[in-house]
Amino acid sequence: MRYKETKEQSAEILRLTLPLMAQHRAAYHPQTYTLWYEHVAGINPRLSNELDQRVARRESLTDDDVWRLHANFVIARDAEALERMHQRLQTLLSDTATAASSAGLEATQFNQTLLLHKDQLARPLAMNLITDIVADLITDTERMRVVTKELTEQLERSTQEARHLTEQLKQAEHQAKLDPLTGMLNRRGLEQRMQSFVEDAGSLQGGAMLLSDIDHFKTLNDTYGHLLGDKVLRAVGQVICESIKGRDIAARIGGEEFAIFLPDTTLEGAAILAKRICAATSARTIRRSGTEQCIDRVTISIGVAASRESDTLETLIDRADKAMYAGKQAGRNRVSLYQTA
């Protein structure tokens, strides 16, 4: 959803939102702010009703609560908006088809009238009959002109609305696939890109999956605050995007986790890239805006798994996740490979 509030309006919403967020256990991450922003702005009545009920019951929202509410009342709301646009487009096509059919029927009748009058005029007629035929022709021609004008106007309206709906659909579908914080693909975007890859290549075989997780991210958030934590997420996302090329697919799939699929890449080749990403991340300096305060070195752990012909996205991520977890257990800030038994 594209928010329409001005800078001044959004500043007032921010002022009202922060005290509400502070009353709950959930972290100050973008999903939390989105919920309370839409509640304060009054643009999501269903969400507001749910939040009001929870506040009345004195329930303190946790991070898990926030993720569920965001999925049910924000993501689902945007999905419903897409469905409404699809339905409107179908109605538009139906109305246009009806108008065209009506005009076609009128044209058929007009053609039959012309043929009839042509036959009548092929033989000598009295003046009064000729006058009647001319009057009929004038009447039928005017009716056809009106029908044609209405069809033309309907087609023009349909064309304009179709263009408008098409643009809205493109924007909504594109935004629904992106992580708003990093600008990378989100989990849904990753799933769609991977599905397209499988449809083109036949399977995932021959590639490799990298699954990365920022080390001690919760501690980092608690120490430096969530605004700086968001800056870390953007910085890691930027490192990843700068490190991939061509048909490589990268996404932020939730929290501090990032996934990278490398087509036509061996396990060893993927490990080399993963080590470069680890090194580039730890070498990056991240400062608090407007100050000289820097975050202690940020590191990530990456698990790498080679893809198989029978793999789905879930099974491939699962193996990469197991490798990453092993790296965490071994001390973090390292690349771990999934080794088959």
Side-chain angles (χ1 to χ4, degrees):
M1 175 179 179
R2 178 168 293 184
Y3 298 105
K4 299 179 180 180
E5 290 73 30
T6 64
K7 183 176 182 180
E8 291 73 18
Q9 290 171 329
S10 60
E12 177 62 12
I13 292 172
L14 172 63
R15 185 185 70 79
L16 297 173
T17 296
L18 289 177
L20 294 174
M21 294 171 64
Q23 297 173 20
H24 298 269
R25 287 179 287 164
Y28 295 90
H29 46 56
Q31 287 75 18
T32 305
Y33 184 61
T34 299
L35 294 181
W36 292 106
Y37 181 99
E38 295 200 0
H39 173 62
V40 170
I43 57 179
N44 196 329
R46 292 175 56 204
L47 171 63
S48 292
N49 182 59
E50 179 69 19
L51 291 175
D52 287 339
Q53 290 182 27
R54 289 174 178 256
V55 169
R57 295 195 298 265
R58 299 180 181 275
E59 293 182 13
S60 178
L61 298 183
T62 65
D63 287 338
D64 288 340
D65 292 328
V66 164
W67 283 106
R68 283 193 293 270
L69 290 171
H70 188 268
N72 292 335
F73 293 97
V74 178
I75 296 177
R77 185 269 319 277
D78 293 341
E80 289 172 0
L82 279 176
E83 180 60 27
R84 286 195 298 272
M85 282 190 280
H86 279 291
Q87 291 176 353
R88 178 58 191 140
L89 191 55
Q90 289 175 340
T91 301
L92 178 64
L93 292 174
S94 177
D95 291 345
T96 304
T98 300
S101 176
S102 176
L105 181 61
E106 289 287 348
T108 300
Q109 293 175 345
F110 185 52
N111 184 58
Q112 292 173 348
T113 300
L114 291 177
L115 291 174
L116 174 63
H117 292 330
K118 179 182 177 182
D119 291 341
Q120 291 174 330
L121 291 171
R123 56 184 183 272
L125 294 174
M127 181 59 67
N128 63 323
L129 293 177
I130 294 176
T131 301
D132 290 342
I133 290 174
V134 172
D136 288 343
L137 282 173
I138 292 173
T139 300
D140 291 340
T141 301
E142 176 61 20
R143 186 171 68 249
M144 194 63 210
R145 185 192 69 79
V146 171
V147 169
T148 303
K149 180 174 181 291
E150 290 176 350
L151 176 60
T152 300
E153 292 174 349
Q154 173 66 37
L155 290 175
E156 288 178 353
R157 288 194 300 270
S158 298
T159 299
Q160 292 175 358
E161 187 166 0
R163 287 173 178 167
H164 179 64
L165 284 171
T166 298
E167 185 61 29
Q168 284 186 317
L169 283 169
K170 286 181 180 178
Q171 291 179 0
E173 290 176 351
H174 179 66
Q175 291 299 323
K177 299 174 188 176
L178 298 181
D179 169 48
L181 181 64
T182 63
M184 303 172 70
L185 293 175
N186 58 19
R187 181 63 178 250
R188 178 184 177 188
L190 174 66
E191 290 172 350
Q192 291 189 4
R193 285 284 298 276
M194 294 293 283
Q195 181 179 354
S196 297
F197 178 86
V198 172
E199 290 172 355
D200 293 338
S203 74
L204 296 176
Q205 188 174 22
M209 176 66 72
L210 278 60
L211 192 69
S212 69
D213 184 270
I214 301 174
D215 296 328
H216 302 296
F217 187 69
K218 184 179 184 305
T219 301
L220 186 151
N221 266 336
D222 292 342
T223 303
Y224 297 99
H226 293 280
L227 291 178
L228 211 54
D230 288 347
K231 197 169 185 178
V232 170
L233 290 169
R234 287 193 291 268
V236 172
Q238 185 177 6
V239 168
I240 290 173
C241 290
E242 290 171 351
S243 302
I244 63 175
K245 60 184 179 180
R247 295 191 302 156
D248 299 343
I249 304 171
R252 180 188 173 206
I253 60 174
E256 62 270 26
E257 284 192 338
F258 297 81
I260 311 164
F261 179 69
L262 308 173
D264 304 320
T265 305
T266 64
L267 188 67
E268 293 74 18
I272 292 172
L273 177 62
K275 290 176 181 176
R276 289 175 183 166
I277 292 174
C278 278
T281 300
S282 63
R284 180 155 297 199
T285 300
I286 301 174
R287 287 188 174 86
R288 186 185 297 276
S289 298
T291 72
E292 293 300 316
Q293 183 185 15
C294 296
I295 293 180
D296 293 337
R297 189 175 63 138
V298 175
T299 65
I300 59 175
S301 299
I302 302 180
V304 185
S307 56
R308 304 168 182 167
E309 184 175 6
S310 59
D311 264 328
T312 63
L313 175 61
E314 294 299 328
T315 60
L316 183 55
I317 284 182
D318 181 65
R319 292 203 307 279
D321 182 66
K322 287 182 171 65
M324 182 187 70
Y325 183 75
K328 293 276 192 182
Q329 294 293 97
R332 296 181 171 79
N333 189 26
R334 64 189 62 214
V335 174
S336 302
L337 310 184
Y338 182 88
Q339 304 292 350
T340 57

